[in-house]
Amino acid sequence: LLLSGSSATTPTPTASGMSRGAELAAVGAMAAAAGGEKRTMEESFLGNVSHELRTPLNAIVGLSQYVTTSQNVDAEVRESLEIINSNAHGLMQMMNNILMLAMLERKEVVLNLQTVDLSVLLADLYESMRSYIQSLKRTDELMMHHTSQHSGEVLISCDVEKLRMVFELLLSLSMVNMRVRSLAFGGVIKSDEECVLYVRASDAETTKEVQPADFLFDSAHTYSKDSAHSEISLDTAQGLLSLMGAQLYLAIGRVEQMYYFCLPNQNSLS
């Protein structure tokens, strides 16, 4: 029995006999199933693309390197093969970036924080990047150095593998510009709590040291996907840094560009 002025609480059946609540639940279930199917399709597509592209690219890189070492190859052909090899490496890097971005968006990347000596990290990175530069045949025209401006040991908290990947992305991106003559990367103590890590590329051969005043931490220098300098390598670097609680900044000038970010400074020992 309903009192005058009160409304009925009994669900009103639809034309199909289904209540409105049940209908909404069914629509929600269908949407969730569609979303899951879409994610599965995306994962399958990315997996197939990775496999189908990696196989021929590996063959291109391997065969071009092999032919380049042959004594019967003249200079012009050798130079063309080196360009092929370099571009194949670039395509593989782009593919890896796309796969990493997809994993980041699905929150499938696990963070493994460690305490590491900054000097050891930079020295190891320098050796691996020097080999990469040699493979690009830019050894004679590109000067690279690394530095850590501090006295004693500086320990930073990071995921070592992902931090190396960030540096490699930023250094590789800097080398895309063939006018770059100087590459520098390293760390500068910002405060007792933070250390600034950076990559600087210049069109001039310079060993000018980076100073704390060179870093500007404001919205104008914050990197975002919708910025004028948006690029897939930077999107990947920012995604990896976000996992470590860091933000990527950039300063782009006429003859110089710099990427930088802050990580916790665990301890400083003299």
Side-chain angles (χ1 to χ4, degrees), residues 239-269:
L240 292 168
L241 288 173
S242 294
L243 284 177
M244 292 181 273
Q247 168 65 50
L248 179 64
Y249 296 86
L250 60 127
I252 307 295
R254 188 173 60 85
V255 297
E256 185 175 284
Q257 64 186 29
M258 184 159 64
Y259 307 106
Y260 50 99
F261 51 93
C262 291
L263 287 178
N265 175 19
Q266 288 292 315
N267 192 19
S268 182
L269 304 174

Side-chain angles (χ1 to χ4, degrees), residues 159-210:
D159 183 316
V160 176
E161 180 184 352
K162 295 174 181 60
L163 181 57
R164 283 181 61 91
M165 191 179 301
V166 168
F167 267 116
E168 289 170 357
L169 284 167
L170 298 179
L171 286 165
S172 298
L173 183 60
S174 299
M175 283 189 286
V176 169
N177 183 354
M178 297 302 292
R179 296 193 307 273
V180 168
R181 292 293 176 269
S182 174
L183 268 179
F185 63 96
V188 176
I189 300 301
K190 180 184 178 187
S191 66
D192 291 339
E193 293 80 26
E194 287 186 311
C195 179
V196 185
L197 304 182
Y198 68 90
V199 171
R200 184 188 67 193
S202 175
D203 292 357
E205 293 185 3
T206 176
T207 57
K208 180 185 71 173
E209 291 188 352
V210 175

Side-chain angles (χ1 to χ4, degrees), residues 137-173:
K137 306 300 181 183
R138 296 197 61 184
T139 311
D140 298 332
E141 62 184 39
L142 181 62
M143 177 175 62
M144 183 177 71
H145 64 279
H146 68 95
T147 181
S148 180
Q149 296 179 13
H150 63 273
S151 57
E153 184 181 42
V154 171
L155 304 177
I156 61 172
S157 177
C158 66
D159 183 316
V160 176
E161 180 184 352
K162 295 174 181 60
L163 181 57
R164 283 181 61 91
M165 191 179 301
V166 168
F167 267 116
E168 289 170 357
L169 284 167
L170 298 179
L171 286 165
S172 298
L173 183 60

Side-chain angles (χ1 to χ4, degrees), residues 23-39:
E23 189 177 58
L24 291 174
V27 171
M30 291 173 62
E37 183 178 354
K38 180 182 178 182
R39 283 193 297 273

Side-chain angles (χ1 to χ4, degrees), residues 26-88:
V27 171
M30 291 173 62
E37 183 178 354
K38 180 182 178 182
R39 283 193 297 273
T40 302
M41 290 176 63
E42 288 176 350
E43 291 170 7
S44 176
F45 172 75
L46 289 172
N48 289 334
V49 167
S50 173
H51 174 74
E52 296 298 331
L53 287 181
R54 195 179 298 274
T55 301
L57 284 173
N58 281 332
I60 292 171
V61 171
L63 289 173
S64 61
Q65 287 178 339
Y66 172 75
V67 177
T68 302
T69 59
S70 174
Q71 297 180 352
N72 298 324
V73 177
D74 61 42
E76 186 175 351
V77 173
R78 191 183 305 277
E79 183 178 354
S80 298
L81 287 169
E82 290 169 356
I83 293 173
I84 292 171
N85 189 277
S86 176
N87 281 276

